[in-house]
């Protein structure tokens, strides 16, 4: 059985505005229950919403960062459903005129290539409150409306993701981008970023393609749980297909919740009842015009976004797509790279060093580049020492680890440890002579045209000089002597 | 010859009760009367009427502290205070919130609900020194044209106690007509100020949508609602308008700058140069002949005062009631979904789960007309019907706006009867929703087009029942309406 996994994501992000979406209550996390509420966010009779312009700006910034088109005119609509944590009985949302449409994000695909995930729309809405069910057996529920009216963005992707880890990478990329433009802290634990995923399979059998029923997966509260929940769901759907051969057009869409403790998804709502939200334009709010000037002003604030940085790295620095993707995996990493590479004739060499040595160091210690004891300027001084021929690239790797461990400067370390490269041709020539004498077979091989043998001999020279020989001089001398 | 003391006081009451707000204002300024005396006069009138076999039933609460408010106003005046409405008593419809006081919209579902904040209009009136007499009866959630759909019982028309006062601000209009209040706030979504003004023989003003802040008015049809006034004189309308419309309210995005706060005293104006259009549909044979007769007299007066009148045809006007009874219930069904027993107001007892709690609360809490409109509203917004009803109604509304804009290129005002009939009998239409809805044929256009409209007491039927005449103007041209009505009042009042 051959199948393809198909995933689309709906991501909700709380915007970091000072006040809530439609009132002046502080937009912060937590607090004594029902302490950050007013008649407007509580939806009390007679209250009216007033749009927070900071929310509009944040939504436009996010839209620009996600390569979306920004609407010239947008409006709010009422979305109706009944739930105790929704105090008005409707949510102020956007229906047919969302503020942003048609963007995309590029993420590393599971096969190592680049995956373009199209974004259908980004719209603004208000968050609801929270139900609290005490677990002491009493049959009461409490309601905390503090979160009511928190401005949210809903970002809806096309079903372009093809693997659970891609979904996780996609959400991480959204977090990276929205953090970079400063509109949200995208903290999954505090719920300022929430993700629901629609997942099904395209099964290929007997030259035909079958779509299995779509499941909407909820309650995924970390990047790991996104991956785990969807991996579980793939297995479950494969099993279900094999047992029932149920098709999408027959079974429709179900909603499933992820139980993190058990690592499984469970059915929450069977075949989705055609939910009728009875949308209509919010009569309390006027449509909003967004001027070209406003968009241009915000564009300047968007600054260097991952996608734009990647374009530059590939185009100007000659860095591969994959490396560019890795360098922009976090804004801090990209900042580090750019600061280190500033004015350097070969940024690619710096990129190689970072992606190999620096990443290795960070991974081993599970820290971020912003926690590294070596800043970009100190790192650049290390590279400059290599460029100046003071140390070899190999020695530089060791020196980097020392720098990162001790926080000392590169020059101090190489002086302390006597690692300065041997530029003295006599000293190198002596080592070369010794190596040729000690390895007559390899020397003969090289003379007989086996180019590879020179590598081995070089290695021996470096070993003899404890890595300090200037490699360029050493190889030159080797070739000369073996002519 | 001497009268017992209480008799003199009654005479005084009667005299005080008949004053307009502006007359009271002058009397207060001259020190001829105190605010406390005024409040007591209205309290006495209300108490006296309450013991009547068929009481007007205009107040659902006469504020126990009304005299205390009045005393404060008198003290403020003694201390040199000079708020524009200092010490002037005003009744408030039960859907406009005053902080700390009950606001129930005449509904069981809001029994016991105390407003945690004041409406912007209330704040402005309060800042100008107004004294609030009490809460006026109304149709539940302002849905009705007869003031019979109230959990406090129907309002009776002071001119004929077996007839309705009109709705939904029937309590407000009846109180002014019965001299239990000199002035009252109402609200007008499809005629709810003007229709009762017409039925009760008082002045009613629905300002343009956006003139007054809606903040604190319990929403019915958000794109149509506007607080309005019921008064005994045109001058009074202008006086309170100048206080209530004091600039844009940052809490209501749909409020607009009007400049009415700076309008000087009203002047009677010559009507020469004014062209007044009369929509043919609203003076057709479908209208009661006695109403037509009063309207014809008004038309003759307009011409005698120098105005040109002509009958015009606005075909889309025929669709107003249909449009209105789609758009208003749609918005109402949405606005009223917050009343679910979870947070405030009444919660039904004995429900075994959440869904049952919702169901019982709304079943017990809402009256029949409110339920009817919630059902209609949900229906016209539901997928599959949205395009055929709500969307189409909004499309026709936009068309109506275009036509009205074109009409107001050619005429300065529209004149028509306010209601196609004189006040009807209690119970006459209460079981016939369609007949009840058709009562709004003359009044809904102004709400749909956001225009200002005013009802003035044009005359009476042979049975002595009041008949109103309506003037409708361009948006934010309230002053033209008021000046025209003032000219009429100067020649006819008294």
């Amino acid at each position: 059985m051959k199948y393809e996994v198909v995933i689309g994501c709906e991501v909700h992000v709380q915007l970091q505005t000072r006040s809530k979406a439609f009132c002046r209550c502080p937009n912060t996390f937590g607090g004594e229950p029902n302490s950050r509420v007013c008649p407007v966010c509580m939806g009390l009779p007679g209250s009216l919403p007033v749009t927070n312009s900071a929310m509009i700006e944040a939504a436009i910034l996010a839209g620009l960062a996600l390569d979306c088109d920004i609407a010239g005119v947008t409006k709010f609509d009422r979305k109706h459903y009944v739930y105790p944590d929704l105090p008005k009985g409707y949510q102020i949302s956007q229906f047919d005129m969302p503020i942003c449409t048609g963007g995309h994000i590029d993420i590393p695909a599971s096969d190592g290539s680049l995956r373009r995930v199209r974004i259908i729309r980004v719209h603004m809405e208000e968050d609801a409150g929270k139900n609290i069910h005490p677990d002491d057996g009493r049959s009461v529920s409490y309601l905390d409306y503090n979160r009511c009216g928190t401005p949210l963005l809903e970002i809806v992707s096309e079903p372009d993701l093809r693997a659970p880890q891609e979904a996780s990478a996609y959400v991480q990329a959204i977090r990276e981008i929205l953090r970079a433009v400063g509109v949200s802290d995208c903290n999954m634990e505090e719920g300022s970023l929430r993700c629901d995923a629609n997942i099904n399979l395209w099964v290929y059998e007997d030259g035909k393609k079958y779509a299995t029923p779509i499941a909407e997966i909820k309650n995924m509260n970390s990047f790991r749980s996104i991956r785990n929940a969807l991996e579980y769901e793939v297995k479950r759907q494969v099993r279900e297909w094999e047992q029932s051969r149920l098709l999408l057009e027959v079974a429709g869409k179900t909603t499933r919740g992820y139980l993190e403790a058990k690592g499984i998804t469970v059915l929450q709502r069977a075949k989705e009842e055609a939910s009728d939200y009875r949308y209509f334009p919010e009569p309390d709010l006027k449509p909003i015009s967004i001027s070209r000037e406003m968009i241009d002003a915000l564009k300047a604030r968007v600054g260097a976004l991952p996608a734009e940085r990647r374009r530059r790295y590939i185009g100007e620095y000659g860095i591969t797509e994959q490396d560019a993707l890795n360098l922009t995996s976090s804004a801090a990493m990209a900042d580090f790279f750019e600061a280190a590479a500033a004015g350097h004739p070969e940024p690619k060499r710096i990129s190689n060093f970072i992606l190999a040595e620096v990443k290795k160091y960070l991974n081993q210690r599970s820290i971020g580049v912003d926690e590294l004891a070596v800043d970009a300027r100190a790192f650049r001084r290390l590279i400059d020492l290599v460029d100046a021929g003071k140390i070899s690239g190999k020695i530089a790797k060791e020196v980097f680890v020392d720098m990162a461990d001790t926080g000392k400067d590169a020059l101090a370390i190489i002086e302390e440890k006597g690692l300065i490269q041997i530029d003295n041709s006599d000293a190198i020539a002596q080592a070369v002579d010794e190596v040729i004498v000690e390895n007559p077979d390899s020397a003969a091989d090289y003379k007989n045209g086996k180019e590879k043998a020179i590598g081995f001999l070089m290695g021996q020279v470096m070993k003899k000089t404890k890595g300090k020989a200037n490699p360029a001089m050493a190889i030159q001398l080797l070739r000369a002597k073996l002519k | 010859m001497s009268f017992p003391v209480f008799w003199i006081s009654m005479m005084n009451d009667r005299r005080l009760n008949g004053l307009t707000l502006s007359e009271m204002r002058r009397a207060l300024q001259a020190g001829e009367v105190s605010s406390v005396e005024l409040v007591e006069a209205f309290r006495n009138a209300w108490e006296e009427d309450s013991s009547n076999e068929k009481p007007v039933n205009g107040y659902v609460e006469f504020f126990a502290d009304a005299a205390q408010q009045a005393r404060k106003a008198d003290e403020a005046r003694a201390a040199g205070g000079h708020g524009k409405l200092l010490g002037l008593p005003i009744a408030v419809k039960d859907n406009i919130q005053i902080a700390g006081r009950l606001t129930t919209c005449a509904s069981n579902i809001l029994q016991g609900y105390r407003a945690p904040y004041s409406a912007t209009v209330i704040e402005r009136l309060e800042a100008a020194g107004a004294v609030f007499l009490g809460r006026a009866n109304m149709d539940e959630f302002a849905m009705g044209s007869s003031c019979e759909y109230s959990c406090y019982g129907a309002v009776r028309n002071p001119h004929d106690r077996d007839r309705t006062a009109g709705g939904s601000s029937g309590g407000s209009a009846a109180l002014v007509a019965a001299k239990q209040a000199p002035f009252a706030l109402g609200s007008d979504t499809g005629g709810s100020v003007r229709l009762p003004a017409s039925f009760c023989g008082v002045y009613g003003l629905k300002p343009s949508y956006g003139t007054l802040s809606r903040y604190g008015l319990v929403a019915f049809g958000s794109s149509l609602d506007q607080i309005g006034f019921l008064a005994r004189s045109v001058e009074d309308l202008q006086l309170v308008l100048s206080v209530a419309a004091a600039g844009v309210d940052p809490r209501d995005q749909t409020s607009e700058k009007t400049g009415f706060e700076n309008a000087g005293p009203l002047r009677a104006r010559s009507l020469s140069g004014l062209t007044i259009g009369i929509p043919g549909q609203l003076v057709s044979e479908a209208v009661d002949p006695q109403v037509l007769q009063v309207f014809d007299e008004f038309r003759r007066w307009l011409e005698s005062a120098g105005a040109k009148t002509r009958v015009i045809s606005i075909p889309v006007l025929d669709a107003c009631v249909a449009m209105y009874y789609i758009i208003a219930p749609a918005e109402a069904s949405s606005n009223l979904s917050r009343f679910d027993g979870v947070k405030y107001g009444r919660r039904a007892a004995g429900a075994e789960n959440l869904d049952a709690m919702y169901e019982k609360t709304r079943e017990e809490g809402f009256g029949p007309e409110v339920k009817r409109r919630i059902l209609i509203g949900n229906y016209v917004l539901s997928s599959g019907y949205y395009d055929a009803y709500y969307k189409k109604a909004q499309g026709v509304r936009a068309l109506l706006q275009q036509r009205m804009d074109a009409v107001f290129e050619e005429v300065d005002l529209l004149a028509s009867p306010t209601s196609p009939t004189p006040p009807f009998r209690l119970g006459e239409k209460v079981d016939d929703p369609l007949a009840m809805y058709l009562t709004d044929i003359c009044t809904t256009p102004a709400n749909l087009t956001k225009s200002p409209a005013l009802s003035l007491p044009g005359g009476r039927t042979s049975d002595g029942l009041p008949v109103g005449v309506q003037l409708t103007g361009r948006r934010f041209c309230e002053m033209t309406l008021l000046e025209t009505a003032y000219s009429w009042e100067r020649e006819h009042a008294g």
Side-chain angles (χ1 to χ4, degrees), chain A residues 19-25 38 40 46-53 284-286, chain B residues 117-121 123-124 210-216 244-258 261:
Chain A
S19 48
K20 290 185 180 180
F22 300 107
C23 66
R24 291 180 169 186
C25 287
C38 72
V40 178
S47 65
L48 298 171
V50 175
T51 311
N52 179 354
S53 57
D284 290 331
L285 298 169
K286 292 179 179 174
Chain B
Y117 67 96
S118 284
T120 297
V121 164
E123 278 184 354
R124 289 179 179 172
T211 289
L212 299 183
S213 167
R214 292 182 295 120
Y215 191 78
V248 172
D249 180 8
R251 291 175 295 192
D252 178 1
Q253 261 189 31
T254 62
S255 68
E256 306 275 350
K257 188 169 163 48
T258 59
E261 64 271 31

Side-chain angles (χ1 to χ4, degrees), chain A residues 327-347:
Chain A
L327 284 172
T328 54
S329 65
S330 80
M333 179 59 87
D335 289 345
F336 183 86
F337 164 67
E338 285 179 24
H344 195 279
E346 286 178 273

Side-chain angles (χ1 to χ4, degrees), chain A residues 24 39-40 42-52 78 80 82-90 143 145 275-286, chain B residues 97 110 113 116-117 209 214-219 222-223 250-256 330-331 334-335 337-339 342-344 354 358 378 381-383 386 390:
Chain A
R24 291 180 169 186
V40 178
M42 283 286 288
L44 294 187
S47 65
L48 298 171
V50 175
T51 311
N52 179 354
R78 293 184 180 182
H80 299 84
V82 178
Y83 207 63
D85 66 11
L86 187 71
K88 296 190 292 290
Y90 59 84
L143 286 155
Y145 290 106
S275 51
D276 190 348
Y277 294 120
R278 304 191 307 283
Y279 281 104
F280 78 96
E282 168 57 276
D284 290 331
L285 298 169
K286 292 179 179 174
Chain B
Q97 297 179 81
L110 273 176
Y113 182 71
Y117 67 96
Y209 186 81
R214 292 182 295 120
Y215 191 78
L217 165 69
V218 180
S222 306
S223 73
R251 291 175 295 192
D252 178 1
Q253 261 189 31
T254 62
S255 68
E256 306 275 350
E331 294 179 358
S334 172
N335 286 325
S337 49
R338 73 193 66 201
F339 302 109
V342 172
K343 303 162 295 283
Y344 45 76
L354 183 64
Y358 286 141
N378 281 327
L381 288 176
S382 59
S383 67
Y386 181 88
Y390 186 79

Side-chain angles (χ1 to χ4, degrees), chain B residues 49-291:
Chain B
D49 187 67
S50 300
S51 55
N52 193 312
E53 188 195 342
K54 292 177 176 175
V56 167
N57 196 24
Y59 281 114
V60 300
E61 178 189 0
F62 194 100
F63 294 140
D65 68 342
Q68 207 177 315
Q69 295 175 57
R71 192 164 308 115
K72 273 193 190 153
D74 287 335
E75 285 163 13
R77 184 176 298 284
H82 47 71
K84 217 166 174 180
L85 305 178
L86 189 57
L88 295 179
I90 290 173
V92 179
K93 191 177 180 179
D94 192 25
N95 61 352
I96 302 170
Q97 297 179 81
I98 309 175
R101 298 187 191 273
L102 293 171
T103 303
T104 73
C105 300
S107 179
N108 279 323
I109 209 159
L110 273 176
Q111 284 314 300
Y113 182 71
R114 257 174 219 287
Y117 67 96
S118 284
T120 297
V121 164
I122 291 293
E123 278 184 354
R124 289 179 179 172
L125 263 50
E126 208 164 24
V131 168
F132 300 118
L133 288 174
R135 295 185 288 133
N137 204 352
M138 58 186 281
D139 281 301
E140 184 179 2
F141 283 104
M143 299 176 193
S145 306
S146 66
C147 239
E148 292 171 286
Y149 302 118
S150 164
C151 74
Y152 305 105
V155 176
R156 292 177 184 277
N157 194 315
H159 299 276
D160 179 342
R161 306 248 167 168
D162 292 322
R163 291 181 187 266
T164 79
S168 68
S169 310
S172 301
L175 288 174
V176 174
K179 300 183 179 174
Q180 294 177 28
F183 191 97
L185 298 184
S187 68
D188 190 318
T189 305
S192 280
V193 159
R194 292 157 287 155
L195 187 73
S198 169
F199 279 17
C200 294
V202 299
Y203 292 90
L205 174 68
K206 180 204 90 78
S208 309
Y209 186 81
T211 289
L212 299 183
S213 167
R214 292 182 295 120
Y215 191 78
L217 165 69
V218 180
F220 159 17
S222 306
S223 73
L224 305 156
D225 291 343
Q226 189 63 198
I227 290 176
F229 309 137
L230 292 126
R232 206 167 287 143
S233 79
V234 181
E235 202 184 1
D236 291 359
L237 294 175
Q238 197 261 344
L239 172 66
V240 180
L241 182 67
S242 72
V243 173
V248 172
D249 180 8
R251 291 175 295 192
D252 178 1
Q253 261 189 31
T254 62
S255 68
E256 306 275 350
K257 188 169 163 48
T258 59
F260 295 147
E261 64 271 31
N262 304 318
L266 271 178
R267 280 189 305 265
R269 61 173 291 168
S270 155
L271 302 193
S272 63
L274 279 189
T275 306
I276 295 175
I278 296 163
Q281 295 102 315
L282 306 184
V283 290
S284 70
E285 60 276 16
V287 178
D288 185 284
Q290 296 216 55
V291 171

Side-chain angles (χ1 to χ4, degrees), chain A residues 266-315:
Chain A
V266 292
L267 189 69
Q268 284 184 333
R269 216 176 335 154
K271 185 168 180 171
E272 197 173 60
E273 299 152 27
S275 51
D276 190 348
Y277 294 120
R278 304 191 307 283
Y279 281 104
F280 78 96
E282 168 57 276
D284 290 331
L285 298 169
K286 292 179 179 174
I288 299 155
S289 297
I290 301 168
S291 69
R292 210 57 247 175
E293 294 75 52
M294 183 177 178
I295 295 172
D296 289 342
L298 290 169
K299 255 186 193 156
R301 263 170 58 190
V302 169
L305 287 164
E308 188 266 326
R309 285 179 144 168
R310 280 196 290 274
R311 274 196 287 275
R312 205 170 66 234
Y313 298 174
I314 296 164

Side-chain angles (χ1 to χ4, degrees), chain B residues 295-317:
Chain B
F295 182 73
D296 278 343
E297 281 165 27
F298 180 76
R299 182 182 176 176
R300 277 196 292 279
W301 170 79
L302 284 173
E303 287 181 340
S304 71
K308 284 198 185 71
T309 68
R310 63 187 162 102
V311 174
I312 54 169
S313 171
I314 314 171
V316 70
L317 221 51

